[in-house]
Amino acid sequence: MNDHITKNQFIEDEILFLKKKKNAVILAHYYQDEDIQDIADFVGDSLDLSRKAANTNAEIIVFCGVKFMAEVAKILSPKKKVILPDLNAGCSLEESCPPKKFKQFKDQYPHHKVISYINCSAEIKSLSDVIVTSSNAKKIIDSFSKSEKIIFAPDKHLGHYLNKITGRNMILWDGFCIVHETFSEREIIKLKLTNDDAEIIAHPECPERILNHSDHIGSTSSLLNYVRKSKSEKFIIATEPHIIHQMKKIAPEKKFIPAPVSNENCSCSNCPFMELNTMEKLRDCLAKVQPEITLSNQMLLTAKKPLIRMLQLS
Ligand code: SF4
């Protein structure tokens, strides 16, 4: 135990030393390990982090999150170096939408606008008219005339939820997040029966069968605000469980229970991609200033357009 503390302290000191030496800023997504969240300069959702990093004087952005998030940071700060601890930290939602196939799909609907969730590759962004986050999606969709035909990609669950709350009939790309897909409706109902004083709160990447049981549905920031404001003392959390680290900081007196999953091989709902980032890899990427996110000038320009449109509309 003591050895672990000493080793961790040593790595933390190295990270802080390198960060200062290289004039870097460290960003951590809410779904990262607690140690990484605690050493970061900013903890948040992907867009919020990228915007904060763009406003610093740091020359290097270390994005502790997944690749598409680091790409957004690069698109919004093209002059800065953007690195991430493990270049293999992808995302099942991103992978479920290969650009070539999506282009063919899009070509079948030449009169449709394309609205894409930010959890997609830079290539998919460049094929989109506007990007949305789970926080601003409703507002942006509502800004389109009711007669406008829309394709929504890549998350079918978020798309289905948005169709429901906006009264639209957007055509949905058939993608999903493996983390949110795995929550078990049956186990959540069982858990609620023994914790009837708990509120179920869920991210809209969850399938409808989970959202139907939820007392509050919202983005990561919205879930955090909800636990702060709600009079409830107990919550069942249907999103990646590392967010509970911030929930405990916001409301230390409250109890948070990760929603159970239906995966036979693993009882947790940790994101396997986010888990690839470790404190050791964070230190090493700062030391070597790699792996670096690089995008062609053309991609930086075409993927930026729908992101800027989002910022104007939200
Ligand atoms: Fe992608 Fe899901 Fe992991 Fe988020 S939690 S990075 S959407 S796989």
Side-chain angles (χ1 to χ4, degrees):
M1 182 69 180
N2 280 344
D3 280 357
H4 177 71
I5 292 170
T6 314
K7 188 179 163 217
N8 261 5
Q9 187 59 55
F10 187 62
I11 294 176
E12 273 176 36
D13 291 347
E14 283 181 294
I15 291 170
L16 294 174
F17 170 78
L18 287 163
K19 182 183 84 159
K20 200 167 173 203
K21 186 175 163 201
K22 310 245 171 169
N23 187 21
V25 61
I26 301 177
L27 313 179
H29 191 269
Y30 291 128
Y31 295 168
Q32 286 287 269
D33 262 7
E34 287 83 357
D35 286 353
I36 295 181
Q37 290 190 35
D38 287 344
I39 205 162
D41 296 294
F42 300 109
V43 182
D45 62 38
S46 57
L47 180 66
D48 180 45
L49 289 174
S50 294
R51 288 167 94 173
K52 282 192 175 129
N55 289 330
T56 69
N57 293 324
E59 291 161 78
I60 298 171
I61 297 173
V62 190
F63 209 120
C64 300
V66 297
K67 195 172 160 210
F68 79 79
M69 297 175 179
E71 285 181 348
V72 173
K74 182 69 189 175
I75 293 164
L76 296 182
S77 301
K79 297 217 166 98
K80 297 184 195 282
K81 264 186 194 281
V82 179
I83 55 177
L84 76 166
D86 191 322
L87 201 55
N88 293 319
C91 165
S92 58
L93 202 40
E94 177 190 340
E95 281 169 15
S96 69
C97 194
K100 219 172 167 184
K101 280 198 179 158
F102 184 68
K103 171 83 172 56
Q104 288 164 358
F105 176 77
K106 177 186 158 168
D107 288 347
Q108 294 171 39
Y109 303 99
H111 303 299
H112 283 60
K113 291 278 187 270
V114 176
I115 300 184
S116 295
Y117 183 34
I118 196 160
N119 296 28
C120 65
S121 63
E123 288 97 322
I124 297 297
K125 289 185 176 74
S126 71
L127 293 168
S128 307
D129 293 290
V130 62
I131 302 302
V132 296
T133 66
S134 45
S135 304
N136 62 27
K138 182 178 183 310
K139 187 176 177 196
I140 291 178
I141 292 166
D142 284 344
S143 74
F144 282 77
S145 130
K146 282 279 179 198
S147 58
E148 196 84 71
K149 292 175 179 167
I150 299 172
I151 292 172
F152 185 83
D155 188 349
K156 65 177 175 184
H157 296 313
L158 176 61
H160 182 75
Y161 171 70
L162 290 168
N163 270 342
K164 211 166 150 184
I165 62 170
T166 61
R168 300 269 175 168
N169 190 20
M170 298 185 292
I171 294 176
L172 308 180
W173 178 262
D174 189 19
F176 61 87
C177 156
I178 52 166
V179 172
H180 293 87
E181 179 76 17
T182 321
F183 292 121
S184 162
E185 180 186 12
R186 188 167 173 270
E187 295 302 319
I188 287 178
I189 293 170
K190 269 167 67 185
L191 185 63
K192 174 75 179 172
L193 284 174
T194 50
N195 292 276
D196 62 351
D197 54 337
E199 285 192 283
I200 301 174
I201 62 172
H203 193 281
E205 284 173 32
C206 290
E208 190 178 27
R209 62 180 181 275
I210 304 299
L211 298 183
N212 284 342
H213 298 281
S214 302
D215 299 290
H216 177 73
I217 299 166
S219 63
T220 44
S221 311
S222 165
L223 299 182
L224 283 162
N225 275 336
Y226 191 78
V227 301
R228 180 190 290 125
K229 286 189 190 155
S230 168
K231 291 202 169 73
S232 294
E233 294 293 321
K234 204 190 270 183
F235 302 87
I236 296 169
I237 312 297
T239 191
E240 214 277 358
H242 283 101
I243 195 172
I244 291 174
H245 187 53
Q246 294 301 321
M247 289 176 172
K248 283 181 180 163
K249 289 188 182 190
I250 286 173
E253 71 290 358
K254 299 188 178 181
K255 189 167 180 215
F256 306 102
I257 311 170
V261 298
S262 53
N263 186 341
E264 285 167 10
N265 303 319
C266 174
S267 61
C268 78
S269 48
N270 293 359
C271 172
F273 303 99
M274 292 277 182
E275 278 192 324
L276 289 176
N277 295 326
T278 61
M279 289 288 276
E280 285 83 355
K281 288 182 192 170
L282 168 55
R283 174 201 56 203
D284 295 348
C285 85
L286 261 170
K288 295 177 193 152
V289 195
Q290 61 173 303
E292 187 184 352
I293 293 290
T294 52
L295 293 167
S296 69
N297 287 341
Q298 175 67 14
M299 189 57 73
L300 283 171
L301 274 179
T302 51
K304 187 173 184 174
K305 264 194 200 165
L307 275 169
I308 297 297
R309 180 118 196 262
M310 168 181 74
L311 298 176
Q312 289 162 347
L313 291 173
S314 59

